[in-house]
Amino acid sequence: MSIILYSDATNVDTLGKSQLHPIYVSIGNIKNWRRNKSDAKQLLGYLPILQASSNSEKNSTDFKKTVRETFHKSLRVLLEPLLSNNSINLTLNNEKIWFYPRISVVIADWPEAATYCLTYKSTMSNFPCHFCLVSRNNIPNINLQSNEIIPRTHDNMRLNFNQHSGNSVCIEDVYNTFWDLP
């Protein structure tokens, strides 16, 4: 069964000082018009938002890496039932349905998509897209051939991570939780 995740960090006070990062889950076979209703999705949990004590700490490489690692470790905890590759019984209209859940899509804005994929967040990086490995200079080229567009797959990103060549494809040096999902 298709599982859809939604997430977006949001301010929870009028001054913009307090933030929460909720993550919601929905079932993919619900019609789109219905899935957009608040009762068709369920709050899965909140992802932590780490606060730096100073601007120098906030801009430090160690703090940025800690933020990324914390994000993905928190995802691992929240998605543990999917990582176990077990089936789930869902009760719907008093009827039990047996299925294997699989994440089919994560709906997020560009900065969050980069966080999920662990791609560099700068649009000035060599490969700014979190979907493919098209160079920054070729992104506006609408005449690219299909063999010039290399998708970012779990396999090729994990290979670059394991070979310590993540910089060449603009991925962060943090293990991605999604690589372990079935």
Side-chain angles (χ1 to χ4, degrees):
M1 179 173 287
S2 168
I3 301 293
I4 297 173
L5 299 177
Y6 304 82
S7 88
D8 192 14
T10 184
N11 291 322
V12 292
D13 67 4
T14 56
L15 299 176
K17 292 183 178 181
S18 297
Q19 283 192 319
L20 289 175
H21 195 157
I23 184 167
Y24 295 91
V25 63
S26 184
I27 299 172
N29 65 346
I30 297 174
K31 292 183 188 270
N32 195 31
W33 66 268
R34 180 74 179 98
R35 193 171 46 235
N36 290 330
K37 306 286 184 194
S38 61
D39 63 342
K41 47 189 147 192
Q42 180 64 45
L43 177 67
L44 183 62
Y46 292 97
L47 297 167
I49 299 174
L50 301 182
Q51 300 294 326
S53 59
S54 66
N55 279 339
S56 62
E57 181 185 32
K58 182 179 180 179
N59 294 326
S60 74
T61 304
D62 288 342
F63 182 76
K64 290 177 181 180
K65 185 172 182 173
T66 301
V67 167
R68 291 182 202 102
E69 287 174 341
T70 303
F71 182 88
H72 276 269
K73 287 179 181 180
S74 299
L75 275 176
R76 176 171 290 286
V77 170
L78 288 172
L79 301 176
E80 184 58 39
L82 299 177
L83 293 169
S84 64
N85 205 19
N86 291 331
S87 64
I88 295 176
N89 287 320
L90 174 69
T91 303
L92 185 64
N93 297 330
N94 294 324
E95 184 180 329
K96 284 192 176 188
I97 301 170
W98 179 65
F99 69 98
Y100 286 92
R102 297 293 182 259
I103 296 176
S104 58
V105 70
V106 177
I107 298 174
D109 57 16
W110 183 81
E112 287 192 44
T115 302
Y116 278 99
C117 298
L118 289 168
T119 55
Y120 292 177
K121 288 186 179 180
S122 172
T123 56
M124 297 307 291
S125 66
N126 291 333
F127 299 99
C129 181
H130 50 269
F131 288 117
C132 67
L133 290 172
V134 173
S135 72
R136 179 184 69 224
N137 298 333
N138 277 334
I139 290 278
N141 183 355
I142 61 171
N143 296 315
L144 286 177
Q145 301 299 313
S146 61
N147 63 341
E148 296 176 287
I149 303 171
I150 302 166
R152 285 186 185 266
T153 65
H154 289 330
D155 293 334
N156 64 16
M157 294 302 103
R158 188 185 321 195
L159 178 67
N160 280 283
F161 176 80
N162 291 337
Q163 293 177 346
H164 304 288
S165 59
N167 285 343
S168 67
V169 292
C170 300
I171 60 171
E172 302 292 351
D173 188 27
V174 174
Y175 190 83
N176 193 322
T177 295
F178 286 96
W179 293 340
D180 295 332
L181 289 173

